[in-house]
Amino acid sequence: MSQMTIAMQWHDWLALFGQYLLLSLLSISGAITTVPDMHRYLVTQHGWLTDAQFSSSVAIAQAAPGPNVLFVALMGWNVGLNAGGGIGAGPGAWLLGFFGLLVTMVGIMLPSTTLTYLATRWGHRNRDRRGVRAFKQGMAPVVVGLLIATGWVLAAGNHAGDAPAWHLWLLTAVAALIVWRTRIHLLWLLGAGALLGAVGFV
Amino acid sequence: MHPSPPGAAAPSAHPQPKSPRDLFVSFTWLALQGFGGVLAIVQREMVEKKRWLTPEQFLEDWAVAQVMPGPNVINLALMIGDRYFGLRGAVAAVAGMLAIPLVVILVLAVLYAHYAANPQVAAALRGMGAVSGGLIAATGVKLIPQLRKHPLGFATCLAFVALVFGAIALFKLPLGWVLLAVGGVACAWTWRRIAA
């Protein structure tokens, strides 16, 4: 996968931190729903990550144990590595990687956990209020649309170059169909995807 | 989140975590079992095995964890930790969820970077990426039947789903504006439809 080298000034790091603080507050129904916006910001707008780095961050976090939000840590790690000249560039790059990890993880966690900590008591006490119910129910279709869009953006990010590869879309569609219709363990599907990739199907 | 004002809850009728340390270890262990998502593991460990939560408490906590911004399972851990040991418990539970899994994932990322030049490894990850896109989209599709009971009606809900999908996936509009505009309209409309 292509490493790339980027220049990050202090105000770039600050902007990255600010963006994740904002995304933290927008991540209704999970950090994964902000993936399309992260892609827009990191890959399309600033070019701090390659498409491949972006989708591998998500794919590795999906395959690894632990909460899925850790993909955010990997994105920060990769931005730091790119700023440091790549993983082969030595301790300086690793330090920048850890710094990037810290910037994105603290950014995505701090506002939402603080808000949740403060608001859950209030929300629970007032759960019968019309406003609270309207918010919970009104956001439901929005959250569903966000999840489907997230899957779409992730799948599209795997397509290198201009020509969309039909067999990648097929794999995505079949995986979605299986998850929708069966209760098979997700790890089997990810394993199958890796195997199909390794043997050259996608 | 606190289930009820102090005193109103059944006084420790079910098992409780012994200390913040117990919370940290329990949530670390739980997180390390969660390949491809932790929610199912939380339910199994917290409700069925440790019985720190009743099924009713779990459902209620989960609903709130989902509506609040931030990673759902992190919010849930925060709420459970807070209930038993206040802020210390909340920090212990969240730290348990993140600390060791973070080390594991970094090791995986470094290993991956080492082998990324190998075209087969890159292709394998591309395959996994295509699958994980499908997994997440299917999670959304699975929730669609829940919208049948929605106060706005099923058709209106589907229109909102399509609107958000188009705005984010096809037109690539910034999330904040989409949430503010579409979410705001959906919430206000719902507010008008439900009784006070």
Side-chain angles (χ1 to χ4, degrees), chain A residues 1 24-27 29 36-37 56 62-63 65-66 109 112 116-117 120-121 124 130 135 137-138 151 154 158 172 176 179 186 190 193-194 197-198 202, chain B residues 1-3 31-32 34-36 60 66-67 69-70 75 82 116 120 123-130 133 135 138 142 150-151 175 179 186 190-191 194:
Chain A
M1 185 184 62
S24 176
L25 291 175
L26 296 177
S27 57
S29 186
D37 211 63
S56 73
Q62 291 268 325
M109 295 288 299
S112 66
T116 300
Y117 185 78
T120 45
R121 222 174 270 202
H124 187 79
R130 192 175 175 186
F135 176 70
Q137 298 190 336
L154 277 181
N158 287 296
T172 302
V179 176
L186 304 184
L190 287 164
V202 293
Chain B
M1 183 195 62
H2 294 249
L32 287 177
F35 288 88
E60 199 169 280
Q66 202 165 26
V67 168
N75 283 347
D82 174 48
Q120 276 187 324
L125 213 75
R126 197 161 61 238
M128 282 171 62
L135 303 189
K142 272 187 184 173
H150 200 278
L175 178 64
L179 276 185
T190 307
W191 190 82
I194 58 181

Short mmCIF file of all heavy atoms in Angstrom, two decimals, chain A residues 1 24-27 29 36-37 56 62-63 65-66 109 112 116-117 120-121 124 130 135 137-138 151 154 158 172 176 179 186 190 193-194 197-198 202, chain B residues 1-3 31-32 34-36 60 66-67 69-70 75 82 116 120 123-130 133 135 138 142 150-151 175 179 186 190-191 194:
data_model
loop_
_atom_site.label_atom_id
_atom_site.label_comp_id
_atom_site.label_asym_id
_atom_site.label_seq_id
_atom_site.Cartn_x
_atom_site.Cartn_y
_atom_site.Cartn_z
N MET A 1 0.84 -1.19 0.00
CA MET A 1 0.00 0.00 0.00
C MET A 1 0.88 1.25 0.00
O MET A 1 1.91 1.28 0.64
CB MET A 1 -0.85 -0.02 1.26
CG MET A 1 -1.86 1.09 1.32
SD MET A 1 -2.74 1.04 2.89
CE MET A 1 -1.44 1.30 4.05
N SER A 24 -17.25 14.06 17.15
CA SER A 24 -17.65 13.36 18.36
C SER A 24 -19.09 13.72 18.73
O SER A 24 -19.90 12.85 19.06
CB SER A 24 -16.70 13.74 19.50
OG SER A 24 -17.11 13.17 20.71
N LEU A 25 -19.40 15.00 18.62
CA LEU A 25 -20.76 15.44 18.97
C LEU A 25 -21.78 15.04 17.91
O LEU A 25 -22.96 14.97 18.18
CB LEU A 25 -20.78 16.96 19.16
CG LEU A 25 -20.03 17.44 20.39
CD1 LEU A 25 -20.00 18.96 20.44
CD2 LEU A 25 -20.67 16.89 21.66
N LEU A 26 -21.30 14.79 16.69
CA LEU A 26 -22.22 14.43 15.60
C LEU A 26 -22.41 12.92 15.49
O LEU A 26 -23.21 12.46 14.70
CB LEU A 26 -21.68 14.95 14.27
CG LEU A 26 -21.59 16.47 14.13
CD1 LEU A 26 -20.98 16.84 12.80
CD2 LEU A 26 -22.97 17.09 14.28
N SER A 27 -21.64 12.15 16.27
CA SER A 27 -21.66 10.70 16.06
C SER A 27 -22.82 10.06 16.81
O SER A 27 -22.63 9.22 17.67
CB SER A 27 -20.33 10.07 16.49
OG SER A 27 -20.06 10.37 17.84
N SER A 29 -25.53 7.49 17.37
CA SER A 29 -25.58 6.07 17.00
C SER A 29 -24.23 5.51 16.61
O SER A 29 -24.13 4.58 15.81
CB SER A 29 -26.58 5.84 15.87
OG SER A 29 -26.71 4.46 15.65
N PRO A 36 -18.15 8.55 6.66
CA PRO A 36 -18.16 9.30 5.39
C PRO A 36 -17.58 10.69 5.54
O PRO A 36 -16.86 11.17 4.66
CB PRO A 36 -19.65 9.36 5.04
CG PRO A 36 -20.26 8.20 5.72
CD PRO A 36 -19.48 8.02 6.99
N ASP A 37 -17.87 11.35 6.67
CA ASP A 37 -17.34 12.68 6.86
C ASP A 37 -15.83 12.67 7.10
O ASP A 37 -15.12 13.56 6.64
CB ASP A 37 -18.06 13.38 8.02
CG ASP A 37 -18.13 14.88 7.80
OD1 ASP A 37 -18.79 15.28 6.82
OD2 ASP A 37 -17.51 15.63 8.56
N SER A 56 -8.17 0.64 4.99
CA SER A 56 -7.51 -0.41 5.77
C SER A 56 -7.62 -0.11 7.26
O SER A 56 -7.70 -1.03 8.08
CB SER A 56 -6.05 -0.58 5.35
OG SER A 56 -5.27 0.51 5.79
N GLN A 62 -12.17 -3.46 12.25
CA GLN A 62 -13.30 -4.39 12.22
C GLN A 62 -12.85 -5.80 12.52
O GLN A 62 -13.56 -6.56 13.17
CB GLN A 62 -13.96 -4.37 10.83
CG GLN A 62 -14.68 -3.08 10.51
CD GLN A 62 -16.13 -3.13 10.89
OE1 GLN A 62 -16.76 -4.16 10.79
NE2 GLN A 62 -16.65 -2.02 11.37
N ALA A 63 -11.68 -6.14 12.03
CA ALA A 63 -11.21 -7.52 12.19
C ALA A 63 -10.64 -7.75 13.58
O ALA A 63 -10.63 -8.87 14.08
CB ALA A 63 -10.17 -7.84 11.13
N PRO A 65 -10.19 -7.41 17.80
CA PRO A 65 -11.12 -7.34 18.92
C PRO A 65 -11.22 -5.91 19.44
O PRO A 65 -10.33 -5.10 19.19
CB PRO A 65 -10.48 -8.24 19.97
CG PRO A 65 -9.03 -8.25 19.64
CD PRO A 65 -8.96 -8.12 18.15
N GLY A 66 -12.29 -5.65 20.16
CA GLY A 66 -12.44 -4.32 20.77
C GLY A 66 -13.47 -3.49 20.07
O GLY A 66 -13.95 -3.85 19.00
N MET A 109 -13.38 11.14 21.59
CA MET A 109 -13.94 10.64 22.86
C MET A 109 -14.40 11.75 23.80
O MET A 109 -15.42 11.62 24.47
CB MET A 109 -12.89 9.79 23.60
CG MET A 109 -12.49 8.53 22.90
SD MET A 109 -13.79 7.30 22.94
CE MET A 109 -13.94 7.08 24.71
N SER A 112 -18.09 13.59 23.52
CA SER A 112 -19.23 12.68 23.62
C SER A 112 -19.31 12.03 25.01
O SER A 112 -20.40 11.91 25.57
CB SER A 112 -19.17 11.61 22.54
OG SER A 112 -18.06 10.77 22.72
N THR A 116 -22.35 12.57 27.49
CA THR A 116 -23.11 11.40 27.92
C THR A 116 -23.14 11.32 29.43
O THR A 116 -24.18 11.08 30.05
CB THR A 116 -22.50 10.12 27.34
OG1 THR A 116 -22.52 10.21 25.92
CG2 THR A 116 -23.26 8.89 27.77
N TYR A 117 -21.97 11.56 30.04
CA TYR A 117 -21.88 11.49 31.50
C TYR A 117 -22.85 12.47 32.14
O TYR A 117 -23.57 12.14 33.07
CB TYR A 117 -20.44 11.79 31.92
CG TYR A 117 -20.22 11.62 33.40
CD1 TYR A 117 -20.06 10.35 33.95
CD2 TYR A 117 -20.19 12.73 34.24
CE1 TYR A 117 -19.88 10.19 35.31
CE2 TYR A 117 -20.00 12.57 35.60
CZ TYR A 117 -19.85 11.30 36.13
OH TYR A 117 -19.66 11.14 37.47
N THR A 120 -27.02 11.75 30.72
CA THR A 120 -27.81 10.52 30.87
C THR A 120 -28.72 10.59 32.08
O THR A 120 -29.86 10.12 32.04
CB THR A 120 -26.90 9.28 30.96
OG1 THR A 120 -25.83 9.56 31.85
CG2 THR A 120 -26.41 8.90 29.60
N ARG A 121 -28.23 11.17 33.16
CA ARG A 121 -29.06 11.29 34.35
C ARG A 121 -30.32 12.12 34.04
O ARG A 121 -31.43 11.72 34.33
CB ARG A 121 -28.25 11.98 35.43
CG ARG A 121 -28.43 11.38 36.79
CD ARG A 121 -27.50 12.02 37.76
NE ARG A 121 -26.23 11.32 37.83
CZ ARG A 121 -25.43 11.41 38.88
NH1 ARG A 121 -25.74 12.19 39.89
NH2 ARG A 121 -24.30 10.75 38.89
N HIS A 124 -32.66 10.36 31.56
CA HIS A 124 -33.41 9.25 32.15
C HIS A 124 -34.56 9.78 33.02
O HIS A 124 -35.67 9.26 32.97
CB HIS A 124 -32.48 8.39 32.99
CG HIS A 124 -33.14 7.15 33.50
ND1 HIS A 124 -33.33 6.05 32.70
CD2 HIS A 124 -33.70 6.86 34.69
CE1 HIS A 124 -33.97 5.11 33.39
NE2 HIS A 124 -34.20 5.58 34.60
N ARG A 130 -42.04 15.02 26.04
CA ARG A 130 -42.31 14.99 24.60
C ARG A 130 -41.04 15.29 23.81
O ARG A 130 -40.75 14.64 22.81
CB ARG A 130 -43.38 16.01 24.29
CG ARG A 130 -43.96 15.90 22.91
CD ARG A 130 -45.09 16.90 22.80
NE ARG A 130 -45.63 16.97 21.47
CZ ARG A 130 -46.57 17.87 21.11
NH1 ARG A 130 -47.02 18.74 22.01
NH2 ARG A 130 -47.03 17.88 19.89
N PHE A 135 -36.92 13.54 20.05
CA PHE A 135 -35.53 13.45 19.61
C PHE A 135 -35.13 12.01 19.33
O PHE A 135 -34.61 11.68 18.27
CB PHE A 135 -34.62 14.07 20.67
CG PHE A 135 -33.17 13.94 20.35
CD1 PHE A 135 -32.60 14.68 19.31
CD2 PHE A 135 -32.36 13.09 21.08
CE1 PHE A 135 -31.26 14.55 19.02
CE2 PHE A 135 -31.02 12.96 20.79
CZ PHE A 135 -30.46 13.70 19.75
N GLN A 137 -37.01 9.35 18.72
CA GLN A 137 -37.71 8.73 17.59
C GLN A 137 -37.40 9.44 16.28
O GLN A 137 -37.25 8.79 15.25
CB GLN A 137 -39.21 8.74 17.85
CG GLN A 137 -39.58 7.94 19.08
CD GLN A 137 -41.08 7.75 19.22
OE1 GLN A 137 -41.89 8.52 18.70
NE2 GLN A 137 -41.46 6.71 19.94
N GLY A 138 -37.30 10.75 16.32
CA GLY A 138 -37.05 11.50 15.10
C GLY A 138 -35.71 11.17 14.47
O GLY A 138 -35.57 11.18 13.25
N GLY A 151 -21.73 2.29 4.88
CA GLY A 151 -21.35 1.06 4.19
C GLY A 151 -20.98 1.35 2.74
O GLY A 151 -19.98 0.85 2.21
N LEU A 154 -17.58 3.21 2.47
CA LEU A 154 -16.48 2.29 2.75
C LEU A 154 -16.23 1.36 1.58
O LEU A 154 -15.09 1.13 1.16
CB LEU A 154 -16.81 1.43 3.98
CG LEU A 154 -16.53 2.06 5.32
CD1 LEU A 154 -16.90 1.08 6.42
CD2 LEU A 154 -15.06 2.44 5.42
N ASN A 158 -12.70 1.22 -1.67
CA ASN A 158 -11.80 0.13 -2.05
C ASN A 158 -11.48 0.11 -3.54
O ASN A 158 -10.64 -0.65 -3.98
CB ASN A 158 -12.44 -1.21 -1.69
CG ASN A 158 -12.42 -1.43 -0.20
OD1 ASN A 158 -11.37 -1.53 0.40
ND2 ASN A 158 -13.59 -1.46 0.39
N THR A 172 -19.33 -6.92 -1.66
CA THR A 172 -20.00 -6.08 -0.67
C THR A 172 -21.48 -6.44 -0.57
O THR A 172 -22.02 -6.62 0.53
CB THR A 172 -19.87 -4.59 -1.06
OG1 THR A 172 -18.49 -4.27 -1.17
CG2 THR A 172 -20.52 -3.70 -0.01
N ALA A 176 -23.44 -8.07 2.61
CA ALA A 176 -24.58 -7.38 3.22
C ALA A 176 -25.79 -8.31 3.28
O ALA A 176 -26.47 -8.39 4.31
CB ALA A 176 -24.92 -6.12 2.42
N VAL A 179 -25.32 -10.94 6.06
CA VAL A 179 -25.49 -10.38 7.41
C VAL A 179 -26.96 -10.08 7.68
O VAL A 179 -27.48 -10.29 8.77
CB VAL A 179 -24.68 -9.08 7.57
CG1 VAL A 179 -24.94 -8.45 8.93
CG2 VAL A 179 -23.21 -9.37 7.42
N LEU A 186 -19.52 -12.65 12.27
CA LEU A 186 -18.96 -11.69 11.31
C LEU A 186 -17.53 -12.04 10.93
O LEU A 186 -17.07 -11.72 9.83
CB LEU A 186 -19.01 -10.28 11.90
CG LEU A 186 -20.37 -9.79 12.34
CD1 LEU A 186 -20.30 -8.35 12.81
CD2 LEU A 186 -21.37 -9.93 11.21
N LEU A 190 -15.46 -11.76 7.27
CA LEU A 190 -14.23 -11.00 7.05
C LEU A 190 -13.12 -11.93 6.56
O LEU A 190 -12.34 -11.59 5.67
CB LEU A 190 -13.81 -10.29 8.34
CG LEU A 190 -14.69 -9.10 8.73
CD1 LEU A 190 -14.48 -8.70 10.18
CD2 LEU A 190 -14.41 -7.91 7.82
N GLY A 193 -13.66 -12.68 2.99
CA GLY A 193 -13.26 -11.53 2.18
C GLY A 193 -11.75 -11.49 1.98
O GLY A 193 -11.25 -11.26 0.87
N ALA A 194 -11.01 -11.74 3.07
CA ALA A 194 -9.56 -11.76 3.00
C ALA A 194 -9.08 -12.85 2.05
O ALA A 194 -8.18 -12.64 1.22
CB ALA A 194 -8.96 -11.98 4.39
N GLY A 197 -9.73 -12.02 -1.52
CA GLY A 197 -8.74 -11.04 -1.95
C GLY A 197 -7.40 -11.69 -2.23
O GLY A 197 -6.78 -11.45 -3.28
N ALA A 198 -6.96 -12.54 -1.31
CA ALA A 198 -5.64 -13.14 -1.43
C ALA A 198 -5.51 -14.03 -2.67
O ALA A 198 -4.46 -14.10 -3.30
CB ALA A 198 -5.31 -13.95 -0.17
N VAL A 202 -10.69 -10.33 -5.92
CA VAL A 202 -11.00 -8.89 -5.91
C VAL A 202 -9.73 -8.06 -5.94
O VAL A 202 -8.66 -8.55 -5.67
CB VAL A 202 -11.83 -8.48 -4.67
CG1 VAL A 202 -13.19 -9.11 -4.73
CG2 VAL A 202 -11.12 -8.85 -3.38
N MET B 1 -25.51 6.25 33.68
CA MET B 1 -26.84 6.72 33.99
C MET B 1 -27.37 6.00 35.22
O MET B 1 -27.08 4.84 35.45
CB MET B 1 -27.75 6.43 32.81
CG MET B 1 -29.14 6.94 32.99
SD MET B 1 -30.17 6.18 31.76
CE MET B 1 -30.00 4.49 32.24
N HIS B 2 -28.16 6.66 36.02
CA HIS B 2 -28.66 6.06 37.23
C HIS B 2 -30.07 5.58 37.00
O HIS B 2 -30.91 6.29 36.47
CB HIS B 2 -28.58 7.05 38.38
CG HIS B 2 -27.16 7.37 38.70
ND1 HIS B 2 -26.55 6.97 39.86
CD2 HIS B 2 -26.21 8.00 37.98
CE1 HIS B 2 -25.30 7.37 39.85
NE2 HIS B 2 -25.07 8.00 38.71
N PRO B 3 -30.35 4.33 37.36
CA PRO B 3 -31.64 3.72 37.05
C PRO B 3 -32.77 4.45 37.75
O PRO B 3 -33.86 4.53 37.24
CB PRO B 3 -31.51 2.29 37.57
CG PRO B 3 -30.39 2.33 38.55
CD PRO B 3 -29.48 3.44 38.15
N ALA B 31 -14.02 -6.60 26.02
CA ALA B 31 -13.64 -5.97 24.75
C ALA B 31 -12.79 -6.92 23.91
O ALA B 31 -12.92 -6.97 22.68
CB ALA B 31 -12.90 -4.67 25.00
N LEU B 32 -11.93 -7.69 24.58
CA LEU B 32 -11.02 -8.56 23.84
C LEU B 32 -11.76 -9.74 23.19
O LEU B 32 -11.24 -10.40 22.31
CB LEU B 32 -9.91 -9.08 24.75
CG LEU B 32 -8.86 -8.01 25.10
CD1 LEU B 32 -7.83 -8.57 26.06
CD2 LEU B 32 -8.18 -7.47 23.85
N GLY B 34 -14.64 -9.22 21.68
CA GLY B 34 -15.55 -8.66 20.69
C GLY B 34 -14.92 -8.44 19.33
O GLY B 34 -14.48 -7.35 19.01
N PHE B 35 -14.88 -9.48 18.53
CA PHE B 35 -14.42 -9.32 17.16
C PHE B 35 -15.59 -8.80 16.33
O PHE B 35 -16.67 -9.36 16.37
CB PHE B 35 -13.95 -10.65 16.58
CG PHE B 35 -12.66 -11.11 17.15
CD1 PHE B 35 -12.63 -11.89 18.30
CD2 PHE B 35 -11.46 -10.77 16.55
CE1 PHE B 35 -11.44 -12.32 18.84
CE2 PHE B 35 -10.26 -11.19 17.09
CZ PHE B 35 -10.25 -11.97 18.22
N GLY B 36 -15.34 -7.72 15.57
CA GLY B 36 -16.40 -7.18 14.70
C GLY B 36 -17.57 -6.62 15.47
O GLY B 36 -18.71 -6.72 15.05
N GLU B 60 -32.89 -0.42 28.40
CA GLU B 60 -33.06 1.01 28.64
C GLU B 60 -31.73 1.74 28.50
O GLU B 60 -31.64 2.78 27.85
CB GLU B 60 -33.63 1.19 30.05
CG GLU B 60 -34.27 2.54 30.26
CD GLU B 60 -35.03 2.54 31.58
OE1 GLU B 60 -36.16 2.02 31.62
OE2 GLU B 60 -34.46 3.04 32.55
N GLN B 66 -27.37 4.74 22.73
CA GLN B 66 -27.43 4.86 21.28
C GLN B 66 -27.84 6.27 20.84
O GLN B 66 -27.37 6.77 19.83
CB GLN B 66 -28.43 3.85 20.74
CG GLN B 66 -28.19 3.54 19.30
CD GLN B 66 -28.93 2.31 18.88
OE1 GLN B 66 -29.94 1.95 19.48
NE2 GLN B 66 -28.44 1.65 17.86
N VAL B 67 -28.70 6.88 21.64
CA VAL B 67 -29.15 8.22 21.27
C VAL B 67 -28.09 9.27 21.55
O VAL B 67 -27.96 10.26 20.83
CB VAL B 67 -30.47 8.54 22.00
CG1 VAL B 67 -30.80 10.01 21.86
CG2 VAL B 67 -31.59 7.70 21.43
N PRO B 69 -24.48 11.05 21.52
CA PRO B 69 -23.36 10.98 20.58
C PRO B 69 -22.23 10.14 21.18
O PRO B 69 -22.15 9.97 22.39
CB PRO B 69 -22.94 12.43 20.42
CG PRO B 69 -23.49 13.15 21.59
CD PRO B 69 -24.70 12.40 22.03
N GLY B 70 -21.38 9.65 20.30
CA GLY B 70 -20.24 8.87 20.77
C GLY B 70 -20.43 7.39 20.53
O GLY B 70 -21.54 6.95 20.23
N ASN B 75 -20.27 4.46 25.55
CA ASN B 75 -21.29 5.14 26.36
C ASN B 75 -21.91 4.18 27.37
O ASN B 75 -22.14 4.54 28.52
CB ASN B 75 -22.39 5.70 25.46
CG ASN B 75 -21.96 6.97 24.75
OD1 ASN B 75 -20.94 7.56 25.11
ND2 ASN B 75 -22.72 7.38 23.76
N ASP B 82 -20.33 4.38 35.97
CA ASP B 82 -20.80 5.53 36.74
C ASP B 82 -21.83 5.11 37.78
O ASP B 82 -21.84 5.61 38.90
CB ASP B 82 -21.39 6.57 35.78
CG ASP B 82 -22.04 7.73 36.53
OD1 ASP B 82 -21.40 8.26 37.45
OD2 ASP B 82 -23.18 8.10 36.20
N ALA B 116 2.47 -4.72 3.89
CA ALA B 116 1.54 -4.08 2.96
C ALA B 116 2.05 -4.07 1.53
O ALA B 116 1.28 -4.01 0.58
CB ALA B 116 1.24 -2.65 3.41
N GLN B 120 -0.56 -9.61 -2.20
CA GLN B 120 -1.61 -10.49 -1.69
C GLN B 120 -2.22 -9.98 -0.40
O GLN B 120 -3.42 -10.08 -0.17
CB GLN B 120 -1.04 -11.89 -1.47
CG GLN B 120 -1.04 -12.71 -2.75
CD GLN B 120 -0.65 -14.14 -2.48
OE1 GLN B 120 0.19 -14.41 -1.63
NE2 GLN B 120 -1.24 -15.05 -3.23
N ALA B 123 -4.42 -7.14 -1.28
CA ALA B 123 -5.65 -7.64 -1.88
C ALA B 123 -6.56 -8.26 -0.83
O ALA B 123 -7.78 -8.10 -0.87
CB ALA B 123 -5.34 -8.66 -2.98
N ALA B 124 -5.94 -8.95 0.16
CA ALA B 124 -6.74 -9.56 1.22
C ALA B 124 -7.46 -8.47 2.01
O ALA B 124 -8.64 -8.60 2.33
CB ALA B 124 -5.85 -10.38 2.16
N LEU B 125 -6.75 -7.39 2.30
CA LEU B 125 -7.38 -6.32 3.05
C LEU B 125 -8.45 -5.61 2.23
O LEU B 125 -9.46 -5.15 2.76
CB LEU B 125 -6.34 -5.32 3.56
CG LEU B 125 -6.79 -4.76 4.90
CD1 LEU B 125 -6.60 -5.77 6.01
CD2 LEU B 125 -6.14 -3.46 5.22
N ARG B 126 -8.21 -5.54 0.90
CA ARG B 126 -9.23 -4.94 0.03
C ARG B 126 -10.51 -5.78 0.10
O ARG B 126 -11.62 -5.25 0.18
CB ARG B 126 -8.70 -4.85 -1.40
CG ARG B 126 -9.49 -3.91 -2.27
CD ARG B 126 -8.71 -3.49 -3.50
NE ARG B 126 -8.37 -4.61 -4.34
CZ ARG B 126 -7.12 -4.95 -4.69
NH1 ARG B 126 -6.10 -4.23 -4.29
NH2 ARG B 126 -6.89 -5.99 -5.46
N GLY B 127 -10.32 -7.10 0.10
CA GLY B 127 -11.48 -8.00 0.23
C GLY B 127 -12.20 -7.78 1.55
O GLY B 127 -13.43 -7.71 1.60
N MET B 128 -11.42 -7.66 2.64
CA MET B 128 -12.03 -7.43 3.95
C MET B 128 -12.74 -6.08 3.98
O MET B 128 -13.79 -5.94 4.61
CB MET B 128 -10.97 -7.48 5.05
CG MET B 128 -10.57 -8.89 5.41
SD MET B 128 -9.13 -8.92 6.50
CE MET B 128 -9.77 -8.06 7.91
N GLY B 129 -12.14 -5.09 3.30
CA GLY B 129 -12.77 -3.77 3.26
C GLY B 129 -14.11 -3.82 2.57
O GLY B 129 -15.09 -3.21 3.03
N ALA B 130 -14.18 -4.55 1.45
CA ALA B 130 -15.44 -4.68 0.73
C ALA B 130 -16.48 -5.36 1.62
O ALA B 130 -17.65 -4.96 1.65
CB ALA B 130 -15.23 -5.48 -0.56
N GLY B 133 -17.73 -3.00 4.49
CA GLY B 133 -18.73 -2.06 3.97
C GLY B 133 -20.10 -2.70 3.95
O GLY B 133 -21.10 -2.10 4.36
N LEU B 135 -21.09 -5.24 5.81
CA LEU B 135 -21.56 -5.49 7.17
C LEU B 135 -22.27 -4.27 7.74
O LEU B 135 -23.34 -4.38 8.36
CB LEU B 135 -20.38 -5.82 8.12
CG LEU B 135 -19.46 -6.98 7.78
CD1 LEU B 135 -18.52 -7.27 8.94
CD2 LEU B 135 -20.26 -8.22 7.44
N ALA B 138 -25.57 -3.49 6.05
CA ALA B 138 -26.61 -4.45 6.46
C ALA B 138 -27.13 -4.13 7.85
O ALA B 138 -28.31 -4.33 8.13
CB ALA B 138 -26.04 -5.87 6.43
N LYS B 142 -31.04 -3.82 8.48
CA LYS B 142 -31.73 -4.61 9.50
C LYS B 142 -32.62 -3.76 10.39
O LYS B 142 -33.56 -4.26 10.99
CB LYS B 142 -30.69 -5.29 10.41
CG LYS B 142 -30.21 -6.64 9.95
CD LYS B 142 -29.34 -7.19 11.06
CE LYS B 142 -28.71 -8.50 10.71
NZ LYS B 142 -27.76 -8.91 11.76
N HIS B 150 -43.09 3.69 13.53
CA HIS B 150 -42.69 5.08 13.76
C HIS B 150 -43.87 6.03 13.63
O HIS B 150 -44.72 5.85 12.75
CB HIS B 150 -41.60 5.45 12.75
CG HIS B 150 -40.79 6.63 13.16
ND1 HIS B 150 -41.23 7.90 12.96
CD2 HIS B 150 -39.60 6.73 13.77
CE1 HIS B 150 -40.30 8.74 13.44
NE2 HIS B 150 -39.31 8.05 13.94
N PRO B 151 -43.95 7.05 14.49
CA PRO B 151 -45.07 8.00 14.42
C PRO B 151 -45.21 8.73 13.08
O PRO B 151 -46.31 9.19 12.74
CB PRO B 151 -44.77 9.01 15.54
CG PRO B 151 -43.52 8.59 16.19
CD PRO B 151 -43.08 7.29 15.64
N LEU B 175 -21.52 16.13 7.16
CA LEU B 175 -22.44 15.47 8.08
C LEU B 175 -23.18 16.45 8.98
O LEU B 175 -24.38 16.29 9.22
CB LEU B 175 -21.62 14.48 8.92
CG LEU B 175 -22.37 13.71 9.99
CD1 LEU B 175 -23.40 12.81 9.37
CD2 LEU B 175 -21.40 12.89 10.83
N LEU B 179 -27.18 16.49 9.41
CA LEU B 179 -27.82 16.15 10.68
C LEU B 179 -28.71 17.30 11.15
O LEU B 179 -29.84 17.10 11.60
CB LEU B 179 -26.77 15.85 11.75
CG LEU B 179 -26.21 14.44 11.79
CD1 LEU B 179 -25.29 14.29 12.99
CD2 LEU B 179 -27.33 13.42 11.87
N ALA B 186 -36.84 16.06 10.95
CA ALA B 186 -37.42 14.78 11.39
C ALA B 186 -37.87 14.87 12.86
O ALA B 186 -38.95 14.39 13.22
CB ALA B 186 -36.40 13.64 11.21
N THR B 190 -41.71 14.78 14.15
CA THR B 190 -42.09 13.76 15.13
C THR B 190 -42.73 14.39 16.36
O THR B 190 -43.72 13.89 16.90
CB THR B 190 -40.85 12.94 15.55
OG1 THR B 190 -40.18 12.45 14.39
CG2 THR B 190 -41.23 11.77 16.44
N TRP B 191 -42.14 15.51 16.78
CA TRP B 191 -42.66 16.20 17.97
C TRP B 191 -44.12 16.58 17.77
O TRP B 191 -44.95 16.46 18.67
CB TRP B 191 -41.81 17.45 18.21
CG TRP B 191 -42.09 18.11 19.52
CD1 TRP B 191 -41.57 17.75 20.74
CD2 TRP B 191 -42.95 19.23 19.75
NE1 TRP B 191 -42.05 18.59 21.71
CE2 TRP B 191 -42.90 19.52 21.14
CE3 TRP B 191 -43.74 20.03 18.93
CZ2 TRP B 191 -43.62 20.56 21.71
CZ3 TRP B 191 -44.46 21.07 19.50
CH2 TRP B 191 -44.39 21.33 20.88
N ILE B 194 -46.45 13.27 18.01
CA ILE B 194 -46.67 12.50 19.23
C ILE B 194 -47.38 13.38 20.26
O ILE B 194 -47.20 14.58 20.30
CB ILE B 194 -45.36 11.92 19.82
CG1 ILE B 194 -44.34 13.02 20.12
CG2 ILE B 194 -44.78 10.89 18.86
CD1 ILE B 194 -43.03 12.50 20.67
#
